[in-house]
Amino acid sequence: MKFFKELFLKLKDKKILRQILIGVILIIFIAILGILSLHEWKGGAVGDGSTKFEIEVEPGETANKVAKELKSNKMIHSSKYFLYLLKFSGNISNLKQGIYVVNDGMSTWKIIKTLVEGRVKTITFTIPEGYTNRQIGDVLVKKKIVSSRDDFIKEADNSELLKKYKIPAKTSEGYLYPETYTIPYDYKPSKVAEMMIRRFFSNLEKVEGANRENIEELHSKVVLASIVEREAKKKDEQPLMAGVFLKRIKIGMPLESCATVQYLFDKPKKRLLEKDLEIVSPYNTYLNKGYPPGPISNPGLPALRAAYKPTESDSLFFLVKPDGSHYFSRTHKEHLEAKKKYIDVLYE
């Protein structure tokens, strides 16, 4: 009786009470660690990592179903231990939807972290500068991101998407930024297209003088950049080439860009023939003055910068040399002489 009386008096002291509570918490914590250590063998890796398994967590799927699937495919030792760790960590309802790749060299806890943190299976693809929407669609088909080129183009040219980003055209051509992307395995084509458009406008902010709100000017600059991108292989020539095209526009001279004619073909030709230059189309800048109706490719940052900051010169003509660079001429006579020197010799 005396003992309990003394204990009661001691508990009145808040400092002693705090120490007792801390001690109890420590005992509980040590007990939990002990339990975990007893079950550690259940949470270790099943194998050496050589066996991989692709698991899809669907919307509303229970942790219990996921645990059973992992166990039946020999990715974990125990489905019960998997669920136990989920509950203990407060993640029983936090498994994120998506497709994941796990292997038998991962511990149960590492697999849980993968599913909870949403480390889904990803695909990386690269779009080169100057690719058309058709070529981008082909890349995505090859990577098995879309089922067909037409499916992607349909999503990329969706009127609601174009309206959302104030693209003044019936197509997103020119606004799908060429870059390397990493996306989740099951990413929808519509999301891929929108992601590329967002990346375009993000990079546009790096272009001096570009104004996203000036829609008409922006579109004409994108058209110019798309032509320059397809014509000039060397980046340092792009501002000079942009200057030549702008000068031609100013004096009412046709652009006479082979790249705009090449756009009429599903795949670019090795060399255009005279009859190709006679194809009736608003994209044929040999027959029509001014810009074509829209961009003919998706330009990169250097081409966009060239369109906004062209280099002025006396040149009105240019032609490609065997090394990929261009020869710029001031007069038609000089241009014809350069043609004999650099082009006609190649095809004799």
Side-chain angles (χ1 to χ4, degrees):
M1 198 63 187
K2 186 179 178 182
F3 169 77
F4 288 108
K5 189 175 181 181
E6 288 177 357
L7 180 61
F8 177 75
L9 291 172
K10 285 181 179 179
L11 289 176
K12 276 185 152 183
D13 188 328
K14 291 183 179 179
K15 186 177 180 181
I16 294 176
L17 182 60
R18 195 183 305 117
Q19 290 174 344
I20 292 173
L21 287 172
I22 291 171
V24 171
I25 291 170
L26 283 172
I27 291 170
I28 293 172
F29 181 71
I30 291 169
I32 290 172
L33 287 178
I35 292 170
L36 288 178
S37 64
L38 288 173
H39 291 278
E40 187 177 6
W41 65 274
K42 291 183 179 179
V46 175
D48 59 5
S50 59
T51 303
K52 293 182 180 180
F53 173 61
E54 191 174 283
I55 181 170
E56 181 175 4
V57 179
E58 298 178 351
E61 190 165 21
T62 64
N64 189 50
K65 186 178 177 182
V66 173
K68 286 182 178 178
E69 192 171 356
L70 289 169
K71 176 67 173 67
S72 64
N73 285 279
K74 299 179 181 180
M75 291 295 115
I76 57 176
H77 287 287
S78 166
S79 58
K80 288 183 180 180
Y81 184 70
F82 178 87
L83 293 170
Y84 171 77
L85 278 183
L86 274 177
K87 289 176 183 177
F88 175 73
S89 61
N91 288 309
I92 195 68
S93 301
N94 291 340
L95 299 184
K96 290 185 173 60
Q97 165 189 352
I99 297 174
Y100 300 84
V101 177
V102 296
N103 64 71
D104 63 357
M106 298 168 70
S107 66
T108 299
W109 182 242
K110 190 170 183 179
I111 291 175
I112 286 174
K113 284 190 71 176
T114 298
L115 303 182
V116 168
E117 294 177 7
R119 300 177 190 172
V120 294
K121 179 181 178 181
T122 59
I123 300 176
T124 298
F125 65 94
T126 299
I127 303 301
E129 294 173 340
Y131 261 33
T132 63
N133 284 16
R134 293 178 300 224
Q135 289 174 305
I136 292 174
D138 290 339
V139 170
L140 299 180
V141 169
K142 192 173 182 180
K143 283 285 186 175
K144 298 181 179 179
I145 296 170
V146 298
S147 57
S148 73
R149 175 209 283 184
D150 290 341
D151 284 345
F152 172 71
I153 291 176
K154 181 181 176 181
E155 295 295 344
D157 295 344
N158 181 280
S159 59
E160 291 300 316
L161 181 63
L162 300 177
K163 184 179 178 181
K164 180 178 179 180
Y165 290 93
K166 299 179 181 178
I167 296 174
K170 293 181 180 179
T171 170
S172 61
E173 192 84 73
Y175 296 87
L176 302 182
Y177 194 73
E179 200 171 69
T180 296
Y181 296 87
T182 299
I183 60 172
Y185 182 75
D186 55 351
Y187 221 46
K188 294 180 179 179
S190 58
K191 287 189 174 182
V192 175
E194 185 165 9
M195 172 183 64
M196 297 179 75
I197 291 173
R198 284 201 310 268
R199 195 70 59 87
F200 170 86
F201 284 108
S202 175
N203 279 279
L204 187 67
E205 295 176 5
K206 302 174 185 176
V207 180
E208 185 181 349
N211 182 0
R212 181 173 178 174
E213 300 306 315
N214 191 335
I215 298 173
E216 289 186 9
E217 181 192 47
L218 170 61
H219 196 60
S220 67
K221 295 296 185 185
V222 174
V223 173
L224 175 58
S226 74
I227 298 172
V228 168
E229 186 69 81
R230 294 291 286 195
E231 289 279 5
K233 303 303 178 186
K234 295 186 179 295
K235 303 302 181 187
D236 59 347
E237 292 182 346
Q238 289 182 341
L240 183 57
M241 189 173 287
V244 170
F245 284 133
L246 284 171
K247 192 173 182 180
R248 286 186 166 221
I249 292 284
K250 188 176 180 180
I251 65 175
M253 182 179 177
L255 295 182
E256 295 184 345
S257 165
C258 291
T260 64
V261 179
Q262 288 278 19
Y263 186 67
L264 300 174
F265 301 100
D266 186 62
K267 293 182 180 179
K269 284 189 165 188
K270 194 169 184 180
R271 188 190 186 193
L272 291 175
L273 304 175
E274 286 295 328
K275 66 177 182 178
D276 297 326
L277 305 182
E278 296 172 2
I279 297 174
V280 177
S281 168
Y283 281 92
N284 187 340
T285 55
Y286 280 85
L287 300 180
N288 305 287
K289 294 180 180 180
Y291 290 126
I296 63 164
S297 74
N298 292 282
L301 193 57
L304 286 167
R305 283 177 170 153
Y308 274 95
K309 198 173 181 180
T311 298
E312 293 185 10
S313 71
D314 294 330
S315 299
L316 263 180
F317 304 88
F318 62 82
L319 56 81
V320 66
K321 296 190 289 185
D323 64 357
S325 64
H326 285 79
Y327 184 90
F328 291 84
S329 309
R330 290 177 297 172
T331 66
H332 189 250
K333 182 182 178 182
E334 185 184 354
H335 178 65
L336 291 176
E337 290 174 353
K339 186 172 179 289
K340 288 180 181 179
K341 181 179 180 180
Y342 294 112
I343 296 180
D344 292 346
V345 174
L346 291 176
Y347 296 97
E348 284 182 350

